[in-house]
Amino acid sequence: MTTTEGPSTPGPGRDRPRGGLFTGRRRAVTTSPVPAPAPIEATLPRGVRVAGAWSWRLLAIAGVIAVLIFLVVQLRLIVIPLLIAVLIGALLVPFSAFLHRHHWPRWIAIVTALLTLIIVIGGLFYLAIWEVTRESSSLSAQSITAYKDLRAWLTTGPLGLTPAQIDGYLKQLGSAFQQQSQFFISGALSVGTTVGHVLTGVLLTLFSLIFILIDGKGIWNWIVHIFPHKARAAVDGAGHAGWATLTSFVKVQVLVATIDAIGIGLGALILGLPLVIPITVLVFLGSFIPIVGAVLTGTLAVFIALIFKGWVFALIMLLIILGVQQLEGHVLQPFIMGTAVKVHPLAVVLVVAAGSLLAGIPGALFAVPFAAVLNVMVRYVSSGVWRTAPPSDPSIDEPIPVLWETVPRPARRPR
């Protein structure tokens, strides 16, 4: 018997396209693009990313500065005389150039500048040592008398101290002063504690100063040629701006030191104090450390006034020193030093304090000129003037002078 089946829906597993019921859905899933995982930088806030970028760069800069400081400490017997020669050269180079512009032969102008420096410094030290030698006996006697009077006042006065307490306090004060003075005087960059180190430093300073006067321009051109060609204009312009600032600083500082020394020296002379010339010379030298130098060296005048004249004259001498310091801080620094250095007085105090803590007296001496020169050089480079302005010295694009070449250039063949 034959039966005929009509059209019917296909059952499960019969006449169904291969792939099953979910074929289309699986294709949709597999063909849709899978998003890539976002990098971790994108998940961080922008402030964190900027702070991180700045942090590792600042750490790299700090590492370079630390290495430079380490090298300076290790080479202190060379670096400090060289820096002193640069400071003195900033004063003598314009003087030598002035003589040369007025038709003096170059070598005579250089010798005259050096002899003037030696005569002035040697004369000041000779006068100071001569007066200290002449007044040494009276100074020693007056110091012993003042010490006995002080002990008597401490025991019989309102404090009522015993001799044992006084000796104990003096011992503690002496040990503390010795530790602090040793740190301040020696510091991290001391010139040396032996006569040989001092003599070596003096010879290196004189030798470097002579070459700065003779061939300072050639030395600077050699330094500029170390940098890539594209950076030479910026380096040269920044160097000339820094040298102009350093020259102005040294000139103005000599003027300020002279005014401080004359003011304090006249005050000591009017009060009738001994050792006026050593006080004046010491204040003059100490004034090269801005703001604090004149006060620290002027305490010698207060001490001498206390020993020879009593506490009233010592108080008057202290008022004179503070008056001169106010004159420097409110008149000389803003109107004279401010135009030359362009560093805020607060920055000057902080820089001097940091320099003295890091390197003792040399650090305090070089802190302000270093900060002033660095400030001017950074501002010059960041201003971008060097991109359009002609170079300060056209010779920076010329070949290096033969004196500074390590390998001689081959001779040109004649055509």
Side-chain angles (χ1 to χ4, degrees), residues 37 56 66 82-83 96 100 106 116 149 161-162 171 173 208 225 269-270 302 304-305 319 333 354 361 392-394 399:
W56 73 262
L82 179 61
L83 294 179
S96 175
H100 185 60
R106 184 174 178 79
T116 302
D149 294 340
L161 300 178
T162 62
K171 186 177 180 180
L173 181 63
S208 303
H225 276 81
L269 182 64
I270 293 172
V302 178
I304 293 176
L319 293 177
Q333 290 287 344
I361 290 180
S392 305
D393 186 2

Side-chain angles (χ1 to χ4, degrees), residues 348-372:
V348 171
V349 174
L350 296 178
V351 166
V352 170
S356 62
L357 289 176
L358 292 175
I361 290 180
L365 176 63
F366 298 123
V368 176
F370 177 79

